[in-house]
Amino acid sequence: QVRLVESGGGLVQAGDSLRLSCAASGSIRDIGDMGWYRQAPGNQRELVASITSGGRTNYADSVEGRFTISRDNAKNTEYLQMNKLKPEDTAVYYCNAAIGSWGSLALYTYWGQGTQVTVSS
């Protein structure tokens, strides 16, 4: 019943900005850590950024200083603000979150469907 829905991807030029959103819906009791991953063709899926329930953030070296992860707990939503985009940022971006649903004691990791970000040079 719990799902994550992503939006905000698209085709942009190098140097442009995009803001990705990931909204969780369903029978949600609480949300723990949230994050963004990306995967380019031929590459492994890599962690881009993460944010804990307490607001502590972590970034991949390749995006540090350009990307900002945030969350709005009232909206059960996480965001990835991407500035100064580079062609090497081109990938499918996936959000994920650890979510506890009503009726379950544990938190489980959920993944969004992925959104394509393409940066042209």
Side-chain angles (χ1 to χ4, degrees), residues 5 16 21 30 32 53 62 96 111:
V5 179
D16 285 352
S21 298
D30 59 341
S53 60
S62 60
N96 85 327
W111 290 89

Side-chain angles (χ1 to χ4, degrees), residues 15-57:
D16 285 352
S17 297
L18 281 174
R19 191 192 193 199
L20 306 183
S21 298
C22 175
S25 62
S27 182
I28 298 173
R29 183 184 69 248
D30 59 341
I31 302 178
D33 294 354
M34 309 182 83
W36 290 92
Y37 292 73
R38 67 186 181 188
Q39 187 169 22
N43 290 353
Q44 300 292 316
R45 185 173 298 187
E46 64 174 351
L47 176 68
V48 176
S50 63
I51 183 167
T52 69
S53 60
R56 289 186 288 107
T57 59

Side-chain angles (χ1 to χ4, degrees), residues 43-105:
N43 290 353
Q44 300 292 316
R45 185 173 298 187
E46 64 174 351
L47 176 68
V48 176
S50 63
I51 183 167
T52 69
S53 60
R56 289 186 288 107
T57 59
N58 183 62
Y59 298 94
D61 289 343
S62 60
V63 307
E64 180 72 50
R66 298 187 297 119
F67 291 10
T68 302
I69 187 172
S70 61
R71 61 193 290 166
D72 186 335
N73 292 327
K75 297 181 178 179
N76 291 332
T77 300
E78 66 175 304
Y79 306 94
L80 186 67
Q81 178 66 46
M82 304 184 293
N83 298 327
K84 300 179 180 179
L85 283 161
K86 304 175 180 179
E88 49 263 46
D89 295 319
T90 296
V92 177
Y93 284 70
Y94 300 89
C95 64
N96 85 327
I99 300 175
S101 60
W102 292 108
S104 177
L105 295 177

